[in-house]
Amino acid sequence: MPPNHSPALIQLQETLNGIATDAHSLYGQGKVASYIPALAQVAPRQFGMAVALVDGTCVSTGSAGTQFSIQSISKLFTFVLALKLVGDEVWQRVGREPSGAAFNSMVQLETEKGIPRNPFINAGALVITDILTSRYAHLDTALLGALRRLSDSPDLNWDMQTAKSERDTAHRNMAMAYFMKSYGNFVNPPEQVLDNYCRQCAIEMSCSQLAQATMFLANGGLDIGPQAQSGEQFLSADATRRVNALLLTCGAYDAAGDFAYRIGLPVKTGVGGGIVAIVPGVGTVAVWGPELDAKGNSVLGAFALEQLVQRTGWSHD
Ligand code: GLN
């Protein structure tokens, strides 16, 4: 915390510390993701939380500086990049309805003719990565460049081992890519798109970096990080509002309704145990706890966000 902290900031710090203490009592209730072999190696009993406010201050607790695999949280960033590049054209290839099905489910793809329900489940994110693969010769470096700038972290990178571990076992995602190709909803070779997808999922960030990197979503699309100096309109205010609406309705896979009820904020979760939440006009929150519930969402992370909104009264409007 900066030396000239205000009483409100001190109170927020105390709130976070209290939540962290309570969250520790949930250790053992979930399991780390094991279907990606590299993720099974992560020590389960870890917790971090960071809150970045639109005035530039940041408060954190626990292991908020420890980097972890962002996994599906990358779907938020690739979707924003695709929106910036092709705008409303994305809706010709992906829907914007909650799926009500597991993040890696393919059941709806057949009845819905290869058009995934939304950009935040695996099938939808693969289409988005396909769109970006057509636009960037090196999507991995383009995405890292954007994230480094947004998070003011020039060293940000993806973990080669995690990417390889997922790529070697990505049979279901590959099947979905080929299935969508059979409906004409996939342009590039699935192998090439899967390479990019596994790299984006293997990007490692800390809670503090994630809170910073998503700040534009709390701020009408304006990136206010130190490198942006006077502020850069990273995404239009209109598109920002729409991204937040999608995060509220589709950001937690088949637990999106439960998250909206319990937490009521636009969120994006990932099987690395991270969750980012947007509080429009106020700031962003990133939490991390690798133990997941049956739907693949962080047990401690969801608990911590629920506690935070109860104690602060923060909501999506
Ligand atoms: N890389 C993971 C996958 O495709 C991401 C899933 C997730 O975080 N829910 O299975």
Side-chain angles (χ1 to χ4, degrees):
M1 196 182 312
N4 53 345
H5 40 267
S6 66
L9 216 54
I10 294 171
Q11 198 187 345
L12 184 58
Q13 179 71 64
E14 282 168 5
T15 301
L16 292 200
N17 293 347
I19 291 172
T21 306
D22 292 350
H24 292 163
S25 67
L26 300 184
Y27 280 147
Q29 289 197 9
K31 287 200 172 76
V32 297
S34 56
Y35 73 100
I36 298 173
L39 294 184
Q41 307 304 318
V42 175
R45 295 184 176 222
Q46 303 191 71
F47 178 76
M49 185 169 194
V51 176
L53 299 170
V54 291
D55 68 2
T57 49
C58 191
V59 176
S60 64
T61 191
S63 305
T66 304
Q67 289 190 325
F68 57 88
S69 198
I70 68 169
Q71 293 298 316
S72 270
I73 298 174
S74 65
K75 296 176 167 107
L76 155 58
F77 297 114
T78 50
F79 175 62
V80 166
L81 281 192
L83 262 191
K84 277 165 70 89
L85 279 172
V86 305
D88 281 346
E89 269 179 48
V90 293
W91 304 123
Q92 291 166 13
R93 298 192 48 194
V94 65
R96 43 179 192 253
E97 288 294 339
S99 70
F103 64 84
N104 59 357
S105 171
M106 54 196 306
V107 288
Q108 289 159 342
L109 275 183
E110 182 165 20
T111 47
E112 296 176 7
K113 302 194 170 27
I115 306 289
R117 277 283 173 102
N118 69 67
F120 298 142
I121 52 173
N122 284 13
L126 287 166
V127 165
I128 296 295
T129 302
D130 184 43
I131 291 172
L132 295 176
T133 300
S134 299
R135 295 286 180 130
Y136 290 106
H138 298 284
L139 175 56
D140 50 357
T141 42
L143 180 60
L144 273 177
L147 287 178
R148 285 174 181 162
R149 202 161 50 100
L150 285 171
S151 63
D152 304 310
S153 308
D155 297 334
L156 222 65
N157 224 321
W158 46 276
D159 182 71
M160 230 180 283
Q161 260 191 314
T162 309
K164 183 176 183 321
S165 174
E166 176 166 12
R167 185 64 179 80
D168 289 346
T169 54
H171 315 304
R172 182 183 278 250
N173 283 333
M174 189 69 85
M176 286 198 279
Y178 272 104
F179 197 64
M180 290 188 284
K181 201 168 179 63
S182 77
Y183 283 101
N185 194 19
F186 224 77
V187 174
N188 298 284
E191 289 75 10
Q192 186 188 358
V193 175
L194 258 292
D195 283 348
N196 281 334
Y197 175 82
C198 293
R199 285 177 190 170
Q200 78 186 45
C201 290
I203 291 172
E204 305 218 309
M205 293 174 80
S206 67
C207 290
S208 302
Q209 289 169 329
L210 268 172
Q212 194 61 53
T214 45
M215 181 54 87
F216 68 96
L217 290 173
N219 208 30
L222 201 67
D223 174 20
I224 51 164
Q227 283 187 32
Q229 289 163 5
S230 57
E232 178 206 328
Q233 198 72 40
F234 185 72
L235 189 65
S236 74
D238 191 47
T240 301
R241 184 171 55 81
R242 293 176 186 282
V243 170
N244 283 332
L246 272 177
L247 291 172
L248 184 66
T249 52
C250 308
Y253 329 124
D254 46 338
D258 186 50
F259 265 63
Y261 180 80
R262 288 170 61 195
I263 296 160
L265 295 174
V267 296
K268 187 68 205 87
T269 65
V271 293
I275 308 178
V276 289
I278 314 301
V279 195
V282 175
T284 54
V285 189
V287 278
W288 171 58
E291 291 184 324
L292 308 179
D293 63 19
K295 294 189 170 171
N297 295 316
S298 171
V299 174
L300 272 71
F303 168 83
L305 286 171
E306 193 174 10
Q307 288 293 312
L308 185 67
V309 296
Q310 271 174 21
R311 297 183 198 196
T312 57
W314 289 348
S315 79
H316 65 278
D317 48 22

